[in-house]
Amino acid sequence: MDPSVTAQGFAAMGSEARLEVLRVLVRAGEAGLSVGEIRDRTGIAASTLAHHLKFLTAADVVTQEKLGRSTICRADFKHLERLAGFILSECCKDEGLGRFGKVANDG
């Protein structure tokens, strides 16, 4: 996975409000929620919510689909799984080297 794409995805989740929005969308599942439903569930003001959704969408962790007069937002589960896989792929690789052993990034 491209490191800049990965960093952007994690940065998008680096705000408490954006993390709350993302969690609401994850709980909603594949059906997603309208912007109004997200606002009702989070209590985030409409203009602030629009800003957060723009940030999450730009990072590809949320998708938006226009249906009539509503915009449906969904968590991009495949991208979120790739982000989780990226960070977890390093899990425990240096285990067993000991406290002072050479680690992968020691140069």
Side-chain angles (χ1 to χ4, degrees), residues 33-57:
L33 296 169
S34 70
V35 174
E37 290 172 315
I38 297 168
R39 186 184 61 242
D40 292 344
R41 293 183 188 200
T42 62
I44 298 173
S47 61
T48 304
L49 179 58
H51 165 77
H52 290 310
L53 286 169
K54 182 178 179 182
F55 204 96
L56 291 165
T57 302

Side-chain angles (χ1 to χ4, degrees), residues 3-101:
S4 65
V5 171
T6 305
Q8 187 177 10
F10 283 113
M13 294 181 272
S15 150
E16 285 181 38
R18 287 191 298 270
L19 190 57
E20 180 183 6
V21 169
L22 184 58
R23 289 181 56 136
V24 163
L25 290 171
V26 167
R27 283 194 301 269
E30 293 291 339
L33 296 169
S34 70
V35 174
E37 290 172 315
I38 297 168
R39 186 184 61 242
D40 292 344
R41 293 183 188 200
T42 62
I44 298 173
S47 61
T48 304
L49 179 58
H51 165 77
H52 290 310
L53 286 169
K54 182 178 179 182
F55 204 96
L56 291 165
T57 302
D60 294 328
V61 294
V62 168
T63 63
Q64 292 185 318
E65 178 184 5
K66 192 81 169 156
L67 289 176
R69 299 177 81 184
S70 295
T71 300
I72 304 301
C73 302
R74 295 179 182 90
D76 186 331
F77 292 104
K78 289 184 190 229
H79 191 64
L80 291 168
E81 286 173 359
R82 286 192 299 269
L83 289 172
F86 174 83
I87 201 72
L88 292 174
S89 69
E90 296 297 312
C91 180
C92 310
K93 284 191 174 181
D94 291 337
E95 201 172 62
L97 288 178
R99 203 167 137 202
F100 300 105

